[in-house]
Amino acid sequence: MTAERVNPPDLSPPAGFSHAVVTTGSRVVFLAGQTALDGDGKVVGDTLPEQFTRALTNLLTALRAVGGAPDDLARVTVYATDVAAYREHARELGRIWRDVAGRDYPAMAVVEVVRLWDEEAMVELDGFAVLP
């Protein structure tokens, strides 16, 4: 797969995302929403950064199970129950992303929701990837 990150100069400089991602490849992988569930189906982590780390790790575990890698991600949507808290932790969440997934950011959006399926969950990530 090739992925070209496009960040037009007419748009504000992106921080922690790409404005557009153009991909070529033969397999599109749709990744279900992942929260901070452990292997027993329980939400782990008392803080947003802890839950974000686990949710991102779970998303990448699903991607790796089909032969993908973080740089294959073309799009990720983050659903947060408190966008103000997400913004407060943005610097730390960016560091977590870089540590876990690297510096090749997909096209992303953060959306505030009233609640998630798992009531204890503060954040959920879904997305899609393009593989060779």
Side-chain angles (χ1 to χ4, degrees):
M1 184 212 54
T2 62
E4 175 188 1
R5 274 95 178 143
V6 179
N7 295 299
D10 294 343
L11 297 177
S12 64
F17 69 97
S18 294
H19 283 292
V21 178
V22 180
T23 64
T24 59
S26 60
R27 295 175 54 205
V28 176
V29 178
F30 295 90
L31 298 161
Q34 299 293 324
T35 60
L37 292 178
D38 66 9
D40 294 324
K42 295 185 181 358
V43 173
V44 295
D46 296 323
T47 68
L48 179 59
E50 289 171 337
Q51 287 199 14
F52 182 85
T53 301
R54 184 58 185 243
L56 178 58
T57 299
N58 289 348
L59 187 78
L60 295 177
T61 297
L63 179 57
R64 287 184 177 107
V66 297
D71 61 342
D72 295 323
L73 287 168
R75 171 93 174 139
V76 170
T77 303
V78 178
Y79 303 93
T81 59
D82 185 346
V83 168
Y86 191 93
R87 289 176 65 99
E88 286 175 25
H89 293 284
R91 190 173 288 249
E92 183 177 2
L93 298 176
R95 181 190 53 74
I96 291 166
W97 181 280
R98 289 186 300 277
D99 290 347
V100 175
R103 292 185 172 271
D104 290 327
Y105 296 107
M108 295 180 73
V110 177
V111 179
E112 185 171 76
V113 296
V114 174
R115 69 174 294 266
L116 296 165
W117 182 263
D118 300 303
E119 288 188 33
E120 304 85 12
M122 299 175 207
V123 65
E124 182 170 334
L125 286 77
D126 75 6
F128 70 88
V130 180
L131 281 62

